[in-house]
Amino acid sequence: MSGREEVPLQNWDGRDRRRFLQSLAVALVSLLLAILFLATAMMDLRRLERLLAGVLKMKAVSLVETTERTAREKYLRLARAGKETLVPFAGMPIDEVTFSIHESLARALIDLAGSIDSRERGGSLPREKIQDVAAAGHISAVFLFDERGQIDFRSNTAVQDPLPPNAGLLKGQQEVAIHLFSGNPAQEGSSYVGIRRHEGSGAVLLVLDRSGLQYWGWRIAIQGAIGEQQWNEGVVHFSVADARGEILAGAGSRPEAESEECMLMAGSQGDPDNPASRCMRAGDVKFLEFSLPFHMEGKAVGTAMVGLETRETDRLLVENRRHGFLWAGLMMAIGLLAMALLYRTQNLHVARLQTMQERLHHAERLSSLGKLGAGVAHEIRNPLNAVSIATQRLQRECKPHESEKKQKFERITRVIRDEIGRLNRIVEDFLSLSRSSLVDLRRQSMVELLDKLVFLVREEAREKGIRIVKRWTSPAPFVLMDANKMQQALLNLMRNAMEAIPGEGSIVVSIENHRNSLTIVKIRDTGAGIPSGEEGRIFDPFYTTKEGGLGLGLCVAQEIVLAHGGEIRVESKHGEGTTFMVLLPRQNDGPLRNNVEERKPRL
């Protein structure tokens, strides 16, 4: 079992419960403030994340819209708007820009035909898979011709061969045959691109319908628009995919795998207001990818994927997060400090109230005790007087004549009279305690009062082996005081000093005139001194360290000095002696004061 015993809550007193509840309330309020500050900081960070992500999305939207406008301009050089669809036309004036677009379209189809030729001859593209390649490239049919000009393979039997029998491509007279913008739009398969196969062993022909030619027109226009863009710093990639996910055109490096969460994505996954799509990484560059619809001629033809670097936004977020948490921590510290100061102030206030209540209760007890003591003292004095008179008559009239009995009789009657005197002094102390605040102030010489006091106690001090030394000089200070009451207060201090000296010793009585119009009476003894920590209790009523003492002498002395507007201070070293200092306002020349200032003198 541990030496520390837990005290149940029900055994606490009211003060302990109040302090516990106050501490708990302060802790809860501090916790609430901390949660409030943290929640505010997190909400601000979330708002900033959404704001930065929104700025990046606006940048991505601007890039997509610019690319759409440029792509439409390029596409209109290849096609014009019909009532139902966009179709090729032959009347477009050929300028340098249009010719370049035409050339890019033809080159892309020639490259596709060359890829099919090389893969088919190399065995990596079986003929039964050529139809899949054609469908992926929006090609109506792929024709393979042998060296004699005969059809060796046809991917779509529903499409007729558009080449005339005497075509130069089949006879080896042409390396390339292009027929894209001069045919009849109503005739299916009127557009084609053909190339001679490797070493002239036949030809490869790609046939396109209206939708296929439109697809390739869009593709070339979009690629040209992307190529003409002046990409700002921070754009990692830009690509456009069709409805099946096939990339139509693009620029930059686009990774296939997603990366860890970006700072703008942290905590906002699944948030419908979050504009970011995915967090990606390309090498050491981390970026956000936005997926936006890509429109051509008023309809969505695919999805634009824009990757924007987050280095700058991450730096702003880190800096704002650091500042946010710093200010939140500062505000939290200020709040906690304010709560601590409030708690401390409240505790001090409560402690003062409790001290005042205790003093009031103590004063009420002393008042009741004083009234009781005054009543008891009044009732005791009459019997004491009767006993004292009877003792005197007994001692005078009934004294025996034998010498031995006479000595015993005198000793007994002297003890009775001494005890009667002791009881009478006790009664006087009680009565003095209740009358100590009633003073009749007059201008008196302090030196004369001390001379009289020393004369009264000198004989008693000599019997105890105590030497009394007087130290004061002229001029004699005058004090506004009640001489009888002040004599009683100083007499109590002198008796206390004599009782503190166990054997022989000395008492020094001195007077000092302080510069602040104060007269200081010092009574210093060579007694045992006051035990450490007890200096503040010696003026409490009924506190005494002497056997048989009542503890009222110093209390009465202090009350009398306070009634004169003065103060008693004490300095003591245990085993070396004690000095009592009585500070009283000095009466200078001028009109006499008939009242007491309600303040304590200050050195």
Side-chain angles (χ1 to χ4, degrees):
M1 178 180 253
S2 104
R4 183 174 161 186
E5 183 180 359
E6 295 184 359
V7 180
L9 185 61
Q10 58 268 22
N11 290 336
W12 291 2
D13 59 11
R15 185 182 303 178
D16 293 333
R17 284 197 184 93
R18 285 194 297 272
R19 288 181 177 175
F20 173 76
L21 293 177
Q22 288 174 356
S23 302
L24 182 61
V26 170
L28 291 177
V29 172
S30 301
L31 179 62
L32 182 61
L33 284 176
I35 294 174
L36 180 61
F37 283 130
L38 287 178
T40 304
M42 295 304 296
M43 289 175 62
D44 289 340
L45 285 176
R46 291 290 177 268
R47 282 194 294 268
L48 180 62
E49 289 175 4
R50 286 194 291 269
L51 176 63
L52 292 177
V55 170
L56 289 180
K57 184 177 181 180
M58 291 177 61
K59 182 178 180 180
V61 170
S62 177
L63 292 174
V64 172
E65 290 177 348
T66 302
T67 305
E68 286 177 349
R69 287 195 300 269
T70 305
R72 280 198 298 270
E73 293 174 0
K74 291 182 177 296
Y75 181 71
L76 287 176
R77 293 179 178 273
L78 294 172
R80 66 181 177 181
K83 292 183 179 181
E84 297 180 355
T85 183
L86 294 175
V87 297
F89 67 99
M92 189 79 172
I94 301 299
D95 56 15
E96 184 178 352
V97 177
T98 305
F99 180 79
S100 176
I101 299 173
H102 288 182
E103 184 181 15
S104 299
L105 175 60
R107 175 58 62 187
L109 292 172
I110 289 172
D111 290 342
L112 178 60
S115 175
I116 293 175
D117 178 32
S118 62
R119 291 171 63 191
E120 192 275 335
R121 285 186 297 100
S124 61
L125 180 62
R127 290 189 172 184
E128 59 271 15
K129 297 295 184 180
I130 293 179
Q131 177 61 33
D132 297 336
V133 176
H138 292 263
I139 305 299
S140 297
V142 178
F143 290 87
L144 299 180
F145 296 91
D146 59 16
E147 63 274 5
R148 297 188 304 274
Q150 300 297 320
I151 296 175
D152 187 27
F153 173 78
R154 178 186 298 178
S155 64
N156 188 353
T157 57
V159 178
Q160 299 296 324
D161 178 13
L163 290 176
N166 58 353
L169 183 66
L170 298 179
K171 292 182 178 183
Q173 298 173 355
Q174 295 177 343
E175 292 295 325
V176 179
I178 302 175
H179 190 272
L180 294 176
F181 299 102
S182 59
N184 183 9
Q187 181 181 357
E188 188 73 24
S190 61
S191 300
Y192 59 83
V193 171
I195 63 171
R196 290 288 293 176
R197 302 193 71 176
H198 186 67
E199 297 178 355
S201 57
V204 178
L205 185 68
L206 305 181
V207 181
L208 292 85
D209 57 10
R210 288 191 301 273
S211 63
L213 188 59
Q214 185 184 53
Y215 168 81
W216 281 96
W218 285 344
R219 185 168 182 169
I220 295 304
I222 293 171
Q223 184 63 52
I226 293 175
E228 290 182 3
Q229 292 293 333
Q230 298 294 326
W231 302 113
N232 297 325
E233 184 180 358
V235 180
V236 180
H237 78 88
F238 189 105
S239 59
V240 180
D242 59 15
R244 295 181 298 179
E246 297 292 334
I247 300 298
L248 298 178
S253 175
R254 180 179 183 273
E256 296 296 331
E258 295 188 21
S259 178
E260 69 276 3
E261 289 184 354
C262 299
M263 292 187 67
L264 288 179
M265 299 285 290
S268 57
Q269 292 288 355
D271 185 359
D273 296 330
N274 180 30
S277 177
R278 291 188 300 174
C279 179
M280 311 288 285
R281 181 183 289 275
D284 295 334
V285 179
K286 189 166 56 176
F287 62 92
L288 285 179
E289 185 180 75
F290 297 87
S291 298
L292 302 169
F294 194 89
H295 298 85
M296 289 292 291
E297 296 303 321
K299 65 178 181 179
V301 298
T303 302
M305 290 166 288
V306 185
L308 299 177
E309 187 178 347
T310 61
R311 181 182 305 170
E312 186 65 21
T313 56
D314 288 350
R315 184 187 65 79
L316 290 175
L317 275 178
V318 169
E319 183 177 352
N320 188 270
R321 182 174 295 177
R322 182 171 59 251
H323 288 299
F325 281 114
L326 178 63
W327 281 108
L330 180 61
M331 294 299 295
M332 192 184 306
I334 293 175
L336 293 177
L337 180 60
M339 291 300 302
L341 291 176
L342 179 62
Y343 177 67
R344 184 174 180 273
T345 303
Q346 184 181 8
N347 278 346
L348 290 176
H349 182 63
V350 171
R352 290 193 189 101
L353 288 178
Q354 291 174 349
T355 303
M356 291 176 63
Q357 290 176 354
E358 291 176 355
R359 289 180 177 176
L360 180 60
H361 181 64
H362 185 62
E364 290 177 351
R365 290 180 59 189
L366 288 180
S367 177
S368 300
L369 190 59
K371 292 178 181 179
L372 178 62
V376 171
H378 180 72
E379 295 297 328
I380 290 178
R381 292 185 73 178
N382 293 330
L384 280 179
N385 289 333
V387 173
S388 178
I389 294 173
T391 304
Q392 292 177 9
R393 289 189 61 186
L394 183 65
Q395 192 175 24
R396 183 175 61 253
E397 299 176 1
C398 300
K399 184 183 301 183
H401 297 287
E402 291 93 349
S403 175
E404 183 178 352
K405 290 182 180 182
K406 183 178 180 180
Q407 292 179 358
K408 290 181 180 180
F409 178 82
E410 290 179 351
R411 185 169 60 252
I412 293 173
T413 54
R414 186 169 56 253
V415 169
I416 294 174
R417 292 187 64 183
D418 291 342
E419 291 302 316
I420 290 174
R422 181 170 174 272
L423 287 175
N424 191 57
R425 284 194 299 272
I426 293 174
V427 171
E428 287 296 331
D429 287 340
F430 268 114
L431 295 177
S432 297
L433 184 62
S434 61
R435 297 193 303 262
S436 58
S437 60
L438 302 177
V439 292
D440 180 17
L441 300 180
R442 298 178 183 276
R443 189 167 181 265
Q444 305 284 341
S445 172
M446 181 57 69
V447 172
E448 293 180 0
L449 179 65
L450 290 178
D451 281 333
K452 180 180 178 181
L453 180 65
V454 171
F455 177 77
L456 290 176
V457 300
R458 187 184 299 276
E459 189 63 30
E460 182 181 355
R462 185 182 295 111
E463 292 179 358
K464 294 183 177 181
I466 299 174
R467 183 169 59 93
I468 298 180
V469 180
K470 298 186 298 182
R471 290 181 181 174
W472 51 74
T473 58
S474 298
F478 285 85
V479 176
L480 196 64
M481 62 180 173
D482 186 327
N484 293 328
K485 293 292 181 65
M486 187 57 64
Q487 178 180 328
Q488 180 183 359
L490 296 177
L491 182 60
N492 288 347
L493 294 178
M494 290 287 289
R495 285 177 176 172
N496 185 80
M498 289 190 295
E499 291 172 355
I501 300 175
E504 294 183 354
S506 63
I507 297 176
V508 179
V509 181
S510 62
I511 300 176
E512 296 179 4
N513 289 328
H514 197 267
R515 62 178 178 275
N516 289 341
S517 298
L518 294 177
T519 295
I520 304 176
V521 179
K522 292 185 178 180
I523 300 175
R524 184 172 67 250
D525 63 62
T526 58
I530 300 173
S532 178
E534 299 294 323
E535 293 89 347
R537 301 181 57 193
I538 60 175
F539 295 104
D540 292 342
F542 309 111
Y543 174 80
T544 181
T545 58
K546 300 186 293 290
E547 184 177 356
L550 288 179
L552 292 175
L554 293 180
C555 178
V556 171
Q558 186 184 48
E559 291 296 327
I560 293 174
V561 172
L562 291 176
H564 283 74
E567 180 184 358
I568 296 182
R569 297 180 184 179
V570 59
E571 294 178 357
S572 178
K573 290 185 179 180
H574 189 60
E576 296 184 10
T578 302
T579 301
F580 285 94
M581 293 178 290
V582 179
L583 285 67
L584 295 171
R586 186 168 62 249
Q587 178 64 44
N588 298 320
D589 294 338
L592 297 179
R593 293 175 299 173
N594 295 321
N595 59 344
V596 180
E597 297 180 3
E598 295 182 355
R599 62 181 178 87
K600 291 184 178 180
R602 299 182 181 272
L603 289 177

